[in-house]
Amino acid sequence: MCGIGFRAWRTESSRTSEAWESVLQQVRRRGMDSHDTVARDMQGLHVELFASVLCLRGAGDITSQPLKSKDERLWLVWNGQIFECENDDDALVDARVNDARVLMDRLDAPGQDILSTLMATLGLFDGPYAFVLVDNATRLILCEPHAPISDEAVLLRDFDRILSESVRCRVQGIRGSRVAILFSGGLDCTVLAALAARYVKEPMDLLNVSFENPRAIAAAYKSMTDPVDAHTFPIDPYAVPDRVTARDSCAQLAALFPACQFRLVEVNVPYAEYAAHLDIIQALMYPQATVMDLSIAAALFFASRGTGIVHNINSDTCASYTSTARVLLSGLGADELLAGYARHRQAWRHGGYDTLTQELQMDLDRIPTRNLGRDDRIFSSHNREARYPYLARSVTTFLASLPAQAKACFEQDHELGDKHLLRCLARSLGLTYAASLPKRAIQFGARSAKMDTQGAQVKGNAPLVRRS
């Protein structure tokens, strides 16, 4: 497959070339046999086409791109392979003939209606292709990425089917037990809740944890300009970011799936209780022993304990509650498979999708040692089993087979380009709120990180100092 690039913008607007140069750097790698560019102004519109060629067909000299018609009215960049045609004319699949040249010759034939000829010719093709055709006379620009692997509708359908089946296998057939979900209200866990709603008939516990963080509370009071406000409007120590998103996502789930009863269990952890359990938590997470590991482990420990309060919306009351679910669904793996971390965006910025792919593979390889052992010991300490739908072999195989561009769209969306495929799935399920949320790590969403002034100065990868 060759590489093609296209950009167009109004000539009166200023335009930086940094993004374009980054694109060209990646496109050049796709075809080293030749590369070239054409550009021109078209009545206030600047158009530029670039192509690199990986020559696999045609006899004799390499057919360089972009191609131009005889009168230079048409410009074409073509990336594809034509394997079959639906009529007896096999010129398009002849290994001795360059397919891009054949397409241009057909469009350039005298008396042809360009659009009709193009549509008719493309209708004969079987094979993956992408192209850009510019008609300089009419200022018509046609683009299409026609390839099974990049067809988002097909990908979305397959992803829904595969992930949904992974969830089904993990929530059905549980003897006398409910299902609970570790629930921040974010993208990963809300999608799991929606898919589980297809199969779970009993009430489903959504476990949401919040910590009384003395440092964060002190900072909030300090920011109040009027000291009276501290007495008149006391700060809720548990109104952390994940509590807000959990309530909103739970409300949308309840509206979308009225047949399923979602029970939001709000787990509030006073600082004194957190401190009293530090030795237990550190023993469970060992040999992981960094500041970040502790903040994550603490959040998982209290969330999976499942003791909190449940609000009754109808009566505006709340009651103490402890989940009896023995199976917990976790969203672990979604970030590693679908480029959800901030450093994934940095990897893309530094080296494009090739570097991002390497970063994703590294994350997937180290999940067992970095996450699963630690988390399993914590969950099982409460007589519960964690299950990870995103890490099912069928899901990891499917996602690992996709190019990074199908999972992240950093060049198109500078804020929410991470986990693009999962965001699309969430929107297709009606989860518009969760689909629009940026990534937020559990230790910051629940405020289990940097619990005191001294801890605020320590980096997450710093080793823990064990208490005597």
Side-chain angles (χ1 to χ4, degrees), residues 7-56:
R7 66 172 178 168
W9 70 92
R10 295 189 180 279
T11 52
E12 67 268 17
S13 65
S14 59
R15 190 80 167 190
T16 177
S17 62
E18 291 181 4
W20 179 242
E21 289 301 322
S22 176
V23 170
L24 294 187
Q25 181 181 2
Q26 302 306 315
V27 172
R28 287 189 186 99
R29 296 177 181 176
R30 296 178 61 90
M32 301 303 293
D33 293 325
S34 77
H35 51 81
D36 200 1
T37 186
V38 294
R40 71 176 298 174
D41 292 327
M42 299 168 52
Q43 299 179 5
L45 187 69
H46 185 82
V47 174
E48 188 169 346
L49 290 176
F50 177 86
S52 62
V53 175
L54 177 65
C55 187
L56 300 176

Side-chain angles (χ1 to χ4, degrees), residues 62-99:
I62 294 171
T63 302
S64 298
Q65 297 190 46
L67 293 175
K68 296 181 180 179
S69 60
K70 295 182 183 68
D71 59 3
E72 298 196 1
R73 170 183 173 179
L74 302 178
W75 291 349
L76 173 69
V77 287
W78 169 267
N79 168 28
Q81 294 294 337
I82 304 169
F83 296 115
E84 296 180 14
C85 274
E86 294 183 358
N87 65 2
D88 294 331
D89 182 0
D90 63 354
L92 291 172
V93 293
D94 190 334
R96 298 167 298 177
V97 180
N98 181 272
D99 45 12

Side-chain angles (χ1 to χ4, degrees), residues 159-175 177 179 181 191-202 204 327 329 385 387-390 392 394-395:
F159 186 33
D160 187 324
R161 173 179 54 81
I162 294 169
L163 183 57
S164 182
E165 177 62 13
S166 174
V167 171
R168 185 195 67 78
C169 293
R170 287 160 176 76
V171 300
Q172 289 189 337
I174 303 172
R175 188 178 68 172
S177 176
V179 172
I181 298 177
V191 168
L192 293 183
L195 296 179
R198 296 174 175 176
Y199 311 107
V200 177
K201 305 304 178 185
E202 300 81 13
M204 199 183 317
V327 170
L329 295 188
E385 176 180 281
R387 296 181 178 178
Y388 307 94
Y390 291 106
S394 57
V395 178

Side-chain angles (χ1 to χ4, degrees), residues 152-427:
E152 192 166 275
V154 175
L155 286 182
L156 205 55
R157 179 199 64 195
D158 291 343
F159 186 33
D160 187 324
R161 173 179 54 81
I162 294 169
L163 183 57
S164 182
E165 177 62 13
S166 174
V167 171
R168 185 195 67 78
C169 293
R170 287 160 176 76
V171 300
Q172 289 189 337
I174 303 172
R175 188 178 68 172
S177 176
R178 291 195 177 107
V179 172
I181 298 177
L182 297 168
F183 193 75
S184 67
L187 175 64
D188 311 342
C189 60
T190 306
V191 168
L192 293 183
L195 296 179
R198 296 174 175 176
Y199 311 107
V200 177
K201 305 304 178 185
E202 300 81 13
M204 199 183 317
D205 293 339
L206 307 180
L207 308 179
N208 176 259
V209 65
S210 173
F211 286 77
E212 179 190 30
N213 186 309
R215 184 189 61 82
I217 294 171
Y221 277 120
K222 188 176 181 180
S223 67
M224 288 184 173
T225 56
D226 187 349
V228 178
D229 289 345
H231 302 284
T232 308
F233 306 104
I235 292 173
D236 180 356
Y238 303 113
V240 301
D242 278 3
R243 180 59 50 79
V244 176
T245 55
R247 288 175 176 174
D248 288 342
S249 288
C250 185
Q252 188 163 63
L253 283 167
L256 291 169
F257 306 98
C260 183
Q261 182 181 344
F262 296 99
R263 181 185 286 118
L264 182 61
V265 183
E266 298 185 350
V267 179
N268 297 330
V269 184
Y271 179 77
E273 188 172 10
Y274 160 80
H277 286 81
L278 274 178
D279 288 342
I280 297 174
I281 296 170
Q282 291 188 45
L284 289 171
M285 74 186 204
Y286 184 82
Q288 303 295 77
T290 68
V291 171
M292 182 178 68
D293 282 307
L294 175 60
S295 60
I296 295 174
L300 297 179
F301 178 85
F302 288 104
S304 60
R305 190 172 66 171
T307 298
I309 58 175
V310 174
H311 291 272
N312 187 321
I313 299 177
N314 296 326
S315 62
D316 196 26
T317 60
C318 61
S320 299
Y321 177 82
T322 298
S323 176
T324 60
R326 292 190 174 185
V327 170
L328 306 179
L329 295 188
S330 166
L332 178 65
D335 290 311
E336 291 79 0
L337 286 162
L338 290 152
Y341 294 124
R343 55 185 167 77
H344 291 149
R345 190 185 300 272
Q346 292 300 321
W348 171 79
R349 285 173 177 163
H350 291 154
Y353 285 108
D354 289 342
T355 301
L356 173 59
T357 299
Q358 296 171 12
E359 189 80 6
L360 292 174
Q361 187 61 56
M362 179 190 70
D363 282 339
L364 194 58
D365 290 341
R366 66 185 182 183
I367 276 183
T369 55
R370 190 178 190 184
N371 304 92
L372 288 174
R374 176 198 67 198
D375 297 357
D376 179 72
R377 291 188 294 275
I378 291 171
F379 296 141
S380 60
S381 71
H382 298 304
N383 194 36
R384 307 189 198 274
E385 176 180 281
R387 296 181 178 178
Y388 307 94
Y390 291 106
L391 292 178
R393 178 179 296 181
S394 57
V395 178
T396 58
T397 299
F398 171 72
L399 292 177
S401 71
L402 300 179
Q405 295 93 321
K407 295 177 281 191
C409 292
F410 293 135
E411 74 273 47
Q412 296 180 22
D413 192 329
H414 299 293
E415 295 181 356
L416 299 175
D418 60 306
K419 295 188 283 193
H420 172 73
L421 188 60
L422 188 60
R423 293 184 188 279
C424 290
L425 177 59
R427 283 190 287 268

